[in-house]
Amino acid sequence: MAITKVTRHNTPAFEAYASAAQSGIADNTATIMAMDTELFDTDSMYDTSAYRFTPTVAGKYFVYGLIYMESSSGTRADRAVVHIYKNGSSYKQVVAMNVADNISSGPSGNVSAVIEFNGSSDYVELYGQLNVHTGTVELDGRTASGNFGAYRIIE
Amino acid sequence: MSNLSTKIKLYAKANGVNSIDFLSDVKLQDDGSGAYIKEWNLDIAEPTAEQLATYEDEANAEEALNTVYSDRRSEYPNENDCIHALLDGGDTLTDLQAKRQATKLKFPKP
């Protein structure tokens, strides 16, 4: 009996990061991460202008994102949230930090989810949200601090 | 210009709502063109832009006051120092009170 080795690639797949940190962000506001630089994008399905991934191959995908968040004024903040948005609404959210009073540290938030795509119109985006006591919010998705990616796992 | 969240808190407080969860009660969003109300789940009516604009000055004042409190907190004696000063009394307590007063003077309320 002949044995056939089947090689299966987890594509389409992409990973992107931000070329610059985002500053002056409004308090407590879910804000889209401008992940404008691709590390790879196997099938050109990530839009570096709209910051969204729209795979044209249906299936279940593993989607992940990482953001570093801090306040503009001495990193005083109390709740930090990272969202994966699907089709314009929060699909999965992770509370990376939630403290009763302000502390002097900026958290990194990591979110992931298995998401089904219809292969035509479904898309995902990455959003960050931080509650600061003073000043404005800074979101950092640069390569050392953040990422946004996805790859197909099941047809 | 003040944060949208601050103006919403003031509007809500003026209408009898003293606490807002910005993950469930009110969802704010910024798709790259500025913050806006994505979802409003409070029992009171969603404010118009004009209504929120009337809270601009009050919101700026509140945010300025929060900055003062934050600056003071960064220089106040820590909890351990306060406990020791209270237990020790005398000069230790007097010195701590002086340091606290100096911090207040350094960061006066607007």
Side-chain angles (χ1 to χ4, degrees):
Chain A
M1 185 176 81
I3 297 174
T4 303
K5 181 181 179 184
V6 177
T7 302
R8 184 166 175 270
H9 299 286
N10 291 113
T11 56
F14 87 99
E15 184 168 312
Y17 57 92
S19 61
Q22 295 167 239
S23 59
I25 304 298
D27 168 60
N28 245 328
T29 301
T31 301
I32 193 166
M33 289 300 298
M35 300 299 207
D36 57 0
T37 307
E38 293 174 341
L39 193 61
F40 60 88
D41 184 5
T42 61
D43 298 81
S44 300
M45 293 176 180
Y46 181 71
D47 186 332
T48 55
S49 298
Y51 320 124
R52 65 176 58 164
F53 177 60
T54 313
T56 54
V57 179
K60 292 181 174 61
Y61 288 67
F62 183 76
V63 183
Y64 58 95
L66 171 68
I67 309 171
Y68 176 72
M69 296 166 275
E70 66 178 7
S71 162
S72 63
S73 58
T75 66
R76 298 191 175 278
D78 61 17
R79 183 162 67 182
V81 187
V82 182
H83 306 259
I84 292 174
Y85 271 49
K86 180 185 179 187
N87 300 334
S89 297
S90 182
Y91 180 87
K92 181 77 76 178
Q93 65 184 32
V94 167
V95 178
M97 179 179 78
N98 194 9
V99 292
D101 204 353
N102 54 340
I103 61 171
S104 296
S105 71
S108 284
N110 200 343
V111 63
S112 60
V114 173
I115 299 177
E116 179 124 29
F117 289 80
N118 60 14
S120 56
S121 59
D122 286 344
Y123 64 92
V124 287
E125 303 160 308
L126 185 66
Y127 279 70
Q129 178 176 355
L130 185 65
N131 181 21
V132 294
H133 281 241
T134 60
T136 54
V137 175
E138 295 179 358
L139 302 175
D140 194 347
R142 289 178 291 181
T143 184
S145 306
N147 61 24
F148 179 36
Y151 52 88
R152 188 165 64 116
I153 54 173
I154 305 172
E155 293 177 7
Chain B
M1 186 174 174
S2 63
N3 279 296
L4 176 60
S5 61
T6 307
K7 286 181 278 195
I8 289 174
K9 284 181 209 169
L10 291 169
Y11 165 81
K13 192 174 180 181
N15 287 276
V17 178
N18 292 317
S19 176
I20 299 176
D21 187 331
F22 283 97
L23 278 183
S24 54
D25 297 332
V26 177
K27 296 182 181 179
L28 305 180
Q29 192 164 312
D30 183 347
D31 304 318
S33 303
Y36 64 94
I37 299 171
K38 166 81 170 177
E39 196 173 310
W40 185 270
N41 298 314
L42 292 172
D43 289 336
I44 59 175
E46 180 176 337
T48 63
E50 290 73 23
Q51 285 176 306
L52 288 175
T54 65
Y55 291 93
E56 184 67 39
D57 290 345
E58 193 178 349
N60 280 324
E62 177 152 323
E63 291 182 2
L65 189 59
N66 284 339
T67 299
V68 170
Y69 288 145
S70 181
D71 289 342
R72 285 182 178 182
R73 179 168 294 191
S74 66
E75 295 201 11
Y76 275 153
N78 63 39
E79 292 173 358
N80 279 339
D81 290 340
C82 291
I83 291 169
H84 283 292
L86 288 169
L87 293 173
D88 293 344
D91 289 345
T92 308
L93 181 56
T94 304
D95 291 347
L96 183 137
Q97 288 170 333
K99 186 175 181 183
R100 190 166 181 272
Q101 190 59 34
T103 302
K104 285 186 177 182
L105 293 173
K106 182 178 178 182
F107 302 111
K109 290 181 181 178

